[in-house]
Amino acid sequence: MSGKIFKQIFISAFILLSVEQSVAQLVPVLGGQRAGTAAAQFLKIGVGARATAMGDAFVAVADDATALYWNPAGIVQFENNQITLSHIDWLVDMKHEFIGYVHKLNSASSIGFQFTSLHMEDMPVTTEFQQRGTGEYFTFSDILLGVTFASRLTDKFSFGATLKYFDETLDVLSMNGVLVDLGTYYKVGIGSARFAVAVTNFGGQVEPSGSIRQNDGTEITEFQSFNPPTLFRIAYAQELFENEKNKLTSSIQLSHPNDNSENINIGLEYWWDKQIALRGGYKLNVDEESLSLGAGVNTSVAGYSVAIDYSYSNFSILGDVNRFSFNIGF
């Protein structure tokens, strides 16, 4: 058995290295000229330390409450109600919080609710003439509210949809809109293989509202409109091996954003005795974030299933990002 496990790991590592070497041919740098053309970028910040430790390659795994973010069809892939909390020490001293709840309606359907907040401390107002501050402060904050419904239509195929409202505030300007997520989850029927497709943040253009006054006294009340950061993901996952004590899950995902180049996400998750997990992931064809690592512990407390997870992501010159998440099943 140990020889078979080593062989599977060796093959997976070889495939990863081969894909990385040939990514220029597999995924041409198309769409890079669209960078910076979509609004509400906080909607692209991945939630859940488990998922992000796997390099965001979670759309075809999506078997806990963080599926509310990754793939709405995933909230029917587990049998209990779940609450998930996620905290991220994001870049430039920003904080990202996510709260999600999934409730089982029956054996085939679930409903879920989510709340997201990106925030930071108030910042001093500076001008070209008062570079140390005017004594005033301004606020930046993003929030999102969403409701999700998913159903298992057959023993192999599931479908889910999310309706979301977001609001982005920068000082006296605000921008809001309604978006939709759609997801599918298909168990191929060959071993544990599954195939998933998700489209997130789909909606119409949005534009800021409010008014600003320039130094010459001119007031601006009309602003350019932007598309939301719509993202199409197609993914495949399966267990490379699984027995009573050990399980190794692999996942590969192709992501097509409307505001940047296509990229590939690869992730691995190893479970020992269903209690201790080690994870790793890598992103190909991205500018900054690449390697991610993480670990988790799953246990039972007073009849509740409790999971605590941590992930680390390297953003190159932008610094490191640490994520923590907490999941309760009941």
Side-chain angles (χ1 to χ4, degrees), residues 145-159:
L145 296 168
V147 57
T148 300
F149 175 80
S151 181
R152 188 183 298 114
L153 303 182
T154 71
D155 60 341
K156 291 183 172 61
F157 181 77
S158 305
F159 173 81

Side-chain angles (χ1 to χ4, degrees), residues 160-281:
T162 300
L163 183 66
K164 305 188 295 189
Y165 169 82
F166 78 91
D167 184 271
E168 190 167 57
T169 299
L170 176 59
D171 195 17
V172 296
L173 300 180
S174 65
M175 180 167 52
N176 53 65
V178 176
L179 304 173
V180 173
D181 295 350
L182 300 173
T184 62
Y185 194 104
Y186 179 67
K187 297 179 179 179
V188 178
I190 303 175
S192 61
R194 57 266 198 201
F195 176 81
V197 175
V199 179
T200 56
N201 306 322
F202 179 77
Q205 290 190 330
V206 294
E207 64 180 66
S209 61
S211 64
I212 57 174
R213 188 174 297 277
Q214 297 180 309
N215 291 334
D216 62 2
T218 304
E219 187 175 20
I220 300 176
T221 58
E222 296 184 1
F223 303 90
Q224 181 180 352
S225 59
F226 297 89
N227 291 314
T230 305
L231 183 59
F232 173 82
R233 296 183 177 110
I234 182 169
Y236 176 85
Q238 73 172 89
E239 274 61 54
L240 297 180
F241 67 83
E242 183 175 11
N243 57 35
E244 188 174 326
K245 285 286 187 178
N246 304 280
K247 183 172 76 168
L248 180 62
T249 302
S250 64
S251 179
I252 184 167
Q253 181 175 295
L254 173 65
S255 302
H256 174 80
N258 70 338
D259 62 345
N260 216 316
S261 304
E262 289 75 13
N263 58 83
I264 292 177
N265 309 67
I266 299 173
L268 291 172
E269 178 182 60
Y270 169 74
W271 278 99
W272 178 79
D273 201 27
K274 301 180 181 179
Q275 295 181 8
I276 299 176
L278 297 175
R279 306 177 181 105

Side-chain angles (χ1 to χ4, degrees), residues 66-82:
T66 62
L68 290 166
Y69 172 86
W70 298 102
N71 182 357
I75 67 171
V76 291
Q77 306 309 317
F78 48 92
E79 302 303 322
N80 55 358
N81 302 324
Q82 289 190 13

Side-chain angles (χ1 to χ4, degrees), residues 252-316:
I252 184 167
Q253 181 175 295
L254 173 65
S255 302
H256 174 80
N258 70 338
D259 62 345
N260 216 316
S261 304
E262 289 75 13
N263 58 83
I264 292 177
N265 309 67
I266 299 173
L268 291 172
E269 178 182 60
Y270 169 74
W271 278 99
W272 178 79
D273 201 27
K274 301 180 181 179
Q275 295 181 8
I276 299 176
L278 297 175
R279 306 177 181 105
Y282 200 86
K283 294 183 178 181
L284 304 172
N285 205 39
V286 296
D287 292 330
E288 296 296 336
E289 185 181 7
S290 55
L291 177 68
S292 58
L293 300 168
V297 176
N298 191 16
T299 187
S300 180
V301 178
Y304 295 92
S305 173
V306 178
I308 302 173
D309 297 297
Y310 165 79
S311 75
Y312 158 87
S313 299
N314 177 14
F315 277 79
S316 185

Side-chain angles (χ1 to χ4, degrees), residues 52-130:
T52 54
M54 296 179 67
D56 291 359
F58 203 67
V59 169
V61 180
D63 57 358
D64 62 28
T66 62
L68 290 166
Y69 172 86
W70 298 102
N71 182 357
I75 67 171
V76 291
Q77 306 309 317
F78 48 92
E79 302 303 322
N80 55 358
N81 302 324
Q82 289 190 13
I83 297 175
T84 187
L85 307 173
S86 172
H87 169 78
I88 307 173
D89 292 322
W90 194 238
L91 305 171
V92 294
D93 295 328
M94 291 189 289
K95 307 295 183 183
H96 183 282
E97 322 294 342
F98 176 85
I99 302 174
Y101 171 65
V102 175
H103 181 78
K104 302 293 292 187
L105 298 176
N106 51 53
S107 60
S109 301
S110 297
I111 191 170
F113 306 91
Q114 60 179 297
F115 171 78
T116 301
S117 171
L118 179 67
H119 57 94
M120 64 186 302
E121 295 183 359
D122 290 352
M123 296 182 64
V125 175
T126 61
T127 69
E128 57 183 318
F129 304 111
Q130 295 173 290

